[in-house]
Amino acid sequence: DGKTHKVARRWPAPREPRQLALSPDGRYLAAASTRSGQVRLWDTTTNKLAWEESIGDGFNLRGLAFMPDGASVVCSHVVRRTFPVSKGHIEEGWVIDSRLTRLAVKPPADAPFRQIALDQRGKAVGDPDGLAFRGDALAVSAAGTHELLLFDAGYVPWTTGAPGDFLDVRLEIGEHKMRRVELGGRPLSVAPLAADNEVAVANSLLDAVQVVNVKAGKLTRTVRLGGPAEPSLARRGEALFYDARRSHNQWFSCNTCHSDGHTCGLTFDTLNDDSYGNPKLTPTLRGVTKTGPWTWHGWQKDLGAAVTKSFTETMFGPKPTDDEVKAMLAFLETLEQPPNPHQKDEAAGRGEKLFRGKAGCARCHKGEEYTSEGTYDVGLEYDGSPYRKWNPPSLRGLWDRGPYLHDGRAETLDELLVKHHAPEKLGGEALTPEERKDLIAFLKSL
């Protein structure tokens, strides 16, 4: 409430609601959640959820805007494909695709949503982000490739079902083709301005707001907001982390899977375990400099070498220089856990005693980071890789993770402790349902 400065209402929107959009008439409010891959729409007159839509394999839902007529809402995002990460698969759009999805505000029963693909062969669109309608144009920022995409909104060929891996050929040729405006930095949110045919773009790495004339397809001015004259070492590493042009044909950045230095919560087969067809859950990078060794099997002892391997053998881009590796490590050092809303209470106190005693968790999850340098047989079936043992991930920030285990097989901590990682299977003792709740309360407090 703008007058009382108090929260008037709360609506559930799990897994990182990053963007909000209000319909032109003010009746509907939409939110896009990045990790759950869901768009939700609330009716502000009834204060009820109108619908909730999952966008297939979509994740990193970022930009969100109502079409000018208010009949649809459009979201920008990427899509995970299930092919192993090889140079050939990247080139064909079989690892990550960038798309826009259009959802009807009042859809008929079982109505499919409509999409368009954004990537061009040989010149993909890494990390689509903000979007806005201005005049006859639809403007979409491409954060990873440092540009603004401009479409003639009336000629966008929205299609039901999968739109394919590449931009519709009708948008590559002719009068209504997609235009790409170079902006530099990391362009994020886009907003229409009062002036005809102008949008403003928030550019985080330039510490600036940029103004683009969408009719002319030109950057007209840049408003500097301050910031240091020379970027720090960590800031230079941040620019590398968010740069999709470091990947083959600029399909994705480090950020695409390790979203904002965390995790997208999905599995990918990066071939990092010397085997084919064994996808692994993307680990969080929060606190990563303190939790070596790295990889699910703990074989990587050098974080700098891991950075180099990711750039050259997962992204298939140029080898980073020694200075670039140092910059990346400096940036990774800044990735800390966010404030934890789960405060330690009486239940968590009981859970800590179970953690260090009856459940036996502390034998592997040790010290301040709740991990250890060793690898352990944790009773999981052979996954086809040369490695039979597992390095325990840090438990810090566990409340903001999930799914769990190397392949994401456990959707919740309760499922993890009952089915796949039960204490009695790992040298501890069986817990009662009440004890399990206490243990989970402690784990969420970390």
Side-chain angles (χ1 to χ4, degrees):
D1 187 303
K3 293 182 178 179
T4 65
H5 296 177
K6 293 181 179 179
V7 175
R9 183 168 290 100
R10 294 180 185 269
W11 286 318
R15 311 312 294 275
E16 296 185 4
R18 295 292 185 116
Q19 295 292 340
L20 290 172
L22 191 65
S23 63
D25 61 4
R27 178 171 178 178
Y28 294 102
L29 179 71
S33 293
T34 60
R35 259 195 291 157
S36 68
Q38 294 171 313
V39 177
R40 296 175 176 86
L41 187 81
W42 293 273
D43 187 327
T44 63
T45 62
T46 64
N47 297 318
K48 293 182 179 181
L49 181 70
W51 50 255
E52 175 181 283
E53 186 73 55
S54 295
I55 303 182
D57 287 325
F59 68 103
N60 284 2
L61 276 58
R62 294 289 183 170
L64 191 68
F66 280 87
M67 297 188 74
D69 62 5
S72 302
V73 63
V74 178
C75 181
S76 65
H77 58 92
V78 294
V79 171
R80 177 194 62 165
R81 307 298 300 280
T82 57
F83 291 84
V85 183
S86 68
K87 189 173 183 179
H89 288 163
I90 293 172
E91 192 166 289
E92 294 299 324
W94 293 350
V95 175
I96 296 288
D97 286 347
S98 297
R99 295 181 186 173
L100 299 182
T101 292
R102 173 181 168 182
L103 304 107
V105 169
K106 297 180 180 180
D110 301 321
F113 48 70
R114 298 175 179 271
Q115 293 187 329
I116 62 167
L118 299 178
D119 303 297
Q120 292 179 279
R121 188 175 290 277
K123 191 179 181 182
V125 175
D127 295 336
D129 204 282
L131 63 88
F133 290 89
R134 188 68 183 95
D136 295 328
L138 167 59
V140 182
S141 65
T145 48
H146 330 307
E147 58 193 337
L148 189 69
L149 313 178
L150 296 176
F151 299 88
D152 188 329
Y155 287 86
V156 174
W158 300 103
T159 182
T160 57
D165 300 308
F166 298 100
L167 185 74
D168 191 298
V169 67
R170 289 170 289 181
L171 295 175
E172 292 199 271
I173 59 176
E175 181 181 358
H176 301 291
K177 68 179 182 180
M178 179 181 75
R179 292 171 292 165
R180 305 176 76 147
V181 181
E182 180 69 31
L183 296 179
R186 186 184 176 218
L188 298 175
S189 295
V190 183
L193 294 177
D196 289 342
N197 300 311
E198 285 191 340
V199 296
V201 182
N203 196 309
S204 67
L205 284 173
L206 294 185
D207 294 315
V209 172
Q210 296 169 295
V211 178
V212 175
N213 185 301
V214 297
K215 187 172 184 179
K218 292 183 178 180
L219 173 64
T220 58
R221 63 184 183 276
T222 297
V223 182
R224 301 288 176 181
L225 303 177
E230 293 293 331
S232 66
L233 185 65
R235 186 69 160 170
R236 296 200 297 273
E238 182 180 2
L240 291 167
F241 183 85
Y242 288 104
D243 190 358
R245 293 183 179 179
R246 297 293 301 215
S247 68
H248 180 56
N249 290 349
Q250 59 187 39
W251 282 88
F252 53 90
S253 68
C254 305
N255 166 72
T256 306
C257 300
H258 298 283
S259 307
D260 293 310
H262 189 29
T263 174
C264 65
L266 298 173
T267 60
F268 292 91
D269 186 6
T270 63
L271 311 178
N272 205 25
D273 58 0
D274 294 330
S275 68
Y276 190 92
N278 295 298
K280 298 291 193 295
L281 183 67
T282 304
T284 181
L285 298 181
R286 292 172 178 170
V288 68
T289 59
K290 306 172 186 176
T291 57
W294 298 274
T295 76
W296 281 99
H297 295 289
W299 64 264
Q300 181 60 267
K301 313 298 182 185
D302 185 327
L303 188 55
V307 167
T308 299
K309 191 174 189 298
S310 291
F311 273 122
T312 57
E313 297 182 31
T314 298
M315 299 170 69
F316 291 92
K319 182 179 180 179
T321 65
D322 290 344
D323 286 343
E324 287 175 332
V325 172
K326 290 178 182 177
M328 278 288 291
L329 294 179
F331 171 66
L332 294 177
E333 187 72 36
T334 70
L335 299 177
E336 299 179 349
Q337 301 292 343
N340 189 337
H342 299 276
Q343 300 300 316
K344 191 172 180 180
D345 56 14
E346 186 175 332
R350 295 193 301 268
E352 182 173 9
K353 293 179 181 178
L354 293 166
F355 180 90
R356 303 188 186 285
K358 184 177 180 179
C361 310
R363 288 178 299 140
C364 301
H365 296 280
K366 307 173 184 177
E368 292 185 359
E369 300 302 324
Y370 295 90
T371 182
S372 58
E373 295 182 0
T375 57
Y376 305 88
D377 181 353
V378 293
L380 296 174
E381 69 276 9
Y382 177 49
D383 73 343
S385 77
Y387 305 96
R388 299 299 182 104
K389 295 184 178 181
W390 306 84
N391 178 249
S394 170
L395 300 183
R396 286 207 173 275
L398 201 64
W399 65 273
D400 192 29
R401 303 222 294 272
Y404 305 95
L405 290 181
H406 67 285
D407 54 4
R409 67 180 65 185
E411 288 293 326
T412 66
L413 289 173
D414 191 68
E415 180 186 346
L416 174 75
L417 294 172
V418 170
K419 293 183 179 180
H420 313 294
H421 220 57
E424 65 270 23
K425 297 179 181 179
L426 301 172
E429 300 178 41
L431 302 180
T432 67
E434 291 74 20
E435 288 174 327
R436 192 165 62 250
K437 288 181 182 179
D438 289 344
L439 178 57
I440 290 173
F442 171 65
L443 294 174
K444 287 185 174 180
S445 75
L446 296 176

